Each structure stands twice: as C-alpha cells, then as structure tokens.
Amino acid sequence: HYRTLRCGDEETPVDDSRARGKPMELIAGKKFKLPVWEAALRTMRPGERARFRCDAKHVVLYPLVSKSLRNIAAGKDPLEGQRHCCSIVQMHEHYSLGYPDLDELQKNPQPLIFDIEVLKVEPPGSYQQDPWAMTDEEKLQAVPQIHKEGNELYRQGKVPEAAAKYYDAIACLKNLQMKEQPGSPDWIELDQKITPLLLNYCQCKLQCEEYYEVLDHCSSILNKYEDNVKAYFKRGKAHAAVWNVAEAQADFAKVLALDPSLRPVVSKELRSLEARLREKDAEDKIRFKGIFSQ
C-alpha cells in the first residue's frame, strides 16, 4: 500500500491506495516511471514501512503514474488515452489528465512525501500478471490458458470466477485489437477470437442474472455477425428474463431459421416464457381485483 502526500505542515494527501481498496502491484525489472519507489522496495521486507521525501525534479512524472494507478484501481486500462511516445511528450500534448489535482501538480511540480508498506513479495514465476501489464506476445500466449481456466471454473460451478477469467482473456485480445485498423485482416482475426470468449462471458452473466449486460454484448456481436446462433439464443433468453416478450420471440425465431435442429431447445424456452406470462397475468388479476369498482 502507498500514500502520497504534499510537503508542508498539513501534508495534504494526493493518493491513498487503502482508500481505494486496492494495493499497488509492482513487477521488479519492468520499466516504472518512478524508479525511487522500486529502489526503496528492493530493500524492504513484508510488513515493513518506509517514508521518504523526493524533490520535485525526481517526481515530475508522478501525475502520469498516479493517473495509471487510479485507472488500475477503477478496473480500467492504465494506459487509457496515452499514445506511444515518451512521457514528457505526453505531458505536453495532453491538456488534461482527467483529474484536476493531477493537472495542477503537473503544471506546478513540487516535492512529495511517499509512505509505502510492503504487504507481500512473490517469487519469480508465481505471479500471474494482469492483462494490462503483459507485453503483446505475453497476451497472445496467455489467452488460451486463461480461456481453459475459465472453462474449468465454469464446470466446477464457480460462475463469477469463470466470468472474471473470460473477461481477462477478452481484455488481452481487445488491447491488441485496439492497435489494428478496424476491418483489417488482423483486426478481424482478433475479433473472431474475442467472440466465443464473449459468448462464454454472456453465459456466465445469464446465470448471474445480469441480463442487460447480456443484451448489450450479444447485440454487439450480432451487429457484426448476423448469423451467430448462440448470440441470438442468449439474447433471446435475456429478453425473456426482462419481459421483452416480442424481442425474445423474434430472437428464438431467428435461432430456428438459422438452425432448425435446435427446435426442442427453443420450444422449451418458449414454453417457459408462456408459463411465466400466465403466472404474471394471474398475479396481476389478483393484485388489481376490484380496484376499478371502488
């Protein structure tokens, strides 16, 4: 965990990882924009704390580091909005970092105090990197293994955990896809790898009853691949769950048109929807009985 404070009598906090509920993960040997942190951590053991002051010239890049760490804590890509150029160029080209306090610190660099506590040290080979921390090659190599781990978790009934794995695999591929021209052969190849992972993710979200997320993702797939039977089927189930009856019936009809062999499965879903509608009508009649005669 870390705290960053402005120098002065009040020591106003700039960042506090505990307040965000997520500690920082630093991979030794990777390029890091604040080498003073890694230098301090290399001499520390789990449970130890260190507090040190750095002159403004040594922390001129801290606003960019802070933005990345804040993005990570929020579950975003830490490099969101950055181009492939040196940090100094980025500082000059970006009018705002998206945080007023960091914008002010970027315009007027000042000494900072860092308070760091080591929670855990993991040996080489035991740490599984987040997708954002991987190289492009590492991302491509990691996807099949992450996919496999997601499938195994799903078979074990650990649906939220499986969804998280599928999400990580999608994030790896999406990050690579962002570097390609939309519609190019490489972009399409990556998209075709993303689609089955996204359908697996949607299956997990169906079981977690997060239906609107399923609707969004399946619709995004069908906007590109109009003959994707699985996307129609999962979207139909999601529509049915949120009482979009006409939309559910239309999606199930599309499933039958694309793959008539799925008629038994579709018929079961339609019967379930009709039964739920009858139950709802009966409940409504009881609920509103006599309301208009009063």
Side-chain angles (χ1 to χ4, degrees):
H1 273 297
Y2 67 93
R3 292 181 73 217
T4 304
L5 310 166
R6 295 178 186 271
C7 289
D9 294 337
E10 296 183 359
E11 294 190 351
T12 308
V14 177
D15 287 306
D16 186 344
S17 64
R18 290 188 184 278
R20 296 196 177 93
K22 184 178 179 66
M24 179 192 69
E25 298 176 355
L26 189 150
I27 305 172
K30 290 279 187 177
K31 289 184 178 180
F32 191 62
K33 293 174 182 173
L34 280 181
V36 291
W37 279 21
E38 184 167 344
L41 288 166
R42 284 182 179 277
T43 65
M44 298 172 66
R45 296 186 179 188
E48 289 186 342
R49 294 186 65 172
R51 179 184 168 94
F52 51 94
R53 178 184 183 280
C54 284
D55 294 336
K57 64 180 180 179
H58 292 131
V59 292
V60 68
L61 297 180
Y62 183 77
L64 280 173
V65 174
S66 178
K67 177 187 176 181
S68 294
L69 293 173
R70 292 181 187 188
N71 282 345
I72 293 169
K76 301 178 182 178
D77 186 335
L79 302 180
E80 185 178 275
Q82 294 187 25
R83 297 193 299 105
H84 289 288
C85 56
C86 74
S87 301
I88 296 295
V89 172
Q90 288 183 27
M91 288 177 65
H92 285 290
E93 290 193 353
H94 285 266
Y95 178 76
S96 173
L97 293 172
Y99 300 96
D101 61 328
L102 296 183
D103 289 340
E104 175 59 30
L105 191 58
Q106 180 171 280
K107 293 175 185 176
N108 301 295
Q110 58 183 272
L112 294 173
I113 296 171
F114 297 118
D115 188 331
I116 297 176
E117 179 184 0
V118 177
L119 302 178
K120 182 171 61 172
V121 177
E122 298 186 2
S126 66
Y127 174 67
Q128 185 171 351
Q129 298 182 56
D130 287 333
W132 63 262
M134 299 178 184
T135 64
D136 289 354
E137 184 177 351
E138 287 171 340
K139 289 185 179 75
L140 276 176
Q141 292 175 350
V143 167
Q145 180 60 31
I146 299 173
H147 191 172
K148 181 179 177 181
E149 291 171 0
N151 291 345
E152 182 59 31
L153 288 167
Y154 186 82
R155 281 193 291 269
Q156 295 173 7
K158 299 177 180 179
V159 178
E161 293 84 352
K165 288 292 182 180
Y166 295 137
Y167 182 90
D168 283 347
I170 292 167
C172 287
L173 295 173
K174 282 284 189 183
N175 185 274
L176 295 173
Q177 191 184 42
M178 288 172 61
K179 301 175 183 179
E180 303 295 340
Q181 178 69 29
S184 68
D186 288 339
W187 189 95
I188 292 172
E189 183 180 353
L190 288 166
D191 203 61
Q192 289 173 344
K193 292 179 180 180
I194 290 169
T195 299
L197 286 162
L198 191 53
L199 287 168
N200 286 357
Y201 180 77
C202 286
Q203 180 61 33
C204 294
K205 291 301 174 179
L206 275 175
Q207 292 189 225
C208 294
E209 300 183 355
E210 297 179 32
Y211 303 117
Y212 290 102
E213 190 169 357
V214 176
L215 293 176
D216 287 343
H217 289 311
C218 287
S219 294
S220 72
I221 292 172
L222 291 169
N223 286 336
K224 293 176 287 187
Y225 309 105
E226 297 179 355
D227 60 348
N228 193 298
V229 177
K230 290 183 178 180
Y232 277 116
F233 185 76
K234 294 181 194 303
R235 192 174 73 172
K237 286 175 68 71
H239 274 309
V242 296
W243 301 105
N244 296 337
V245 179
E247 291 86 346
Q249 291 171 337
D251 278 347
F252 287 135
K254 192 69 176 179
V255 170
L256 290 178
L258 291 169
D259 190 349
S261 69
L262 293 175
R263 183 171 296 278
V265 179
V266 171
S267 297
K268 180 180 177 181
E269 293 295 332
L270 290 172
R271 287 196 301 270
S272 175
L273 176 58
E274 290 168 2
R276 289 175 59 230
L277 285 170
R278 287 193 296 270
E279 290 176 6
K280 186 175 184 296
D281 288 342
E283 291 173 0
D284 288 346
K285 287 179 181 178
I286 294 172
R287 184 179 298 112
F288 298 114
K289 183 179 180 181
I291 192 172
F292 298 108
S293 61
Q294 295 178 358

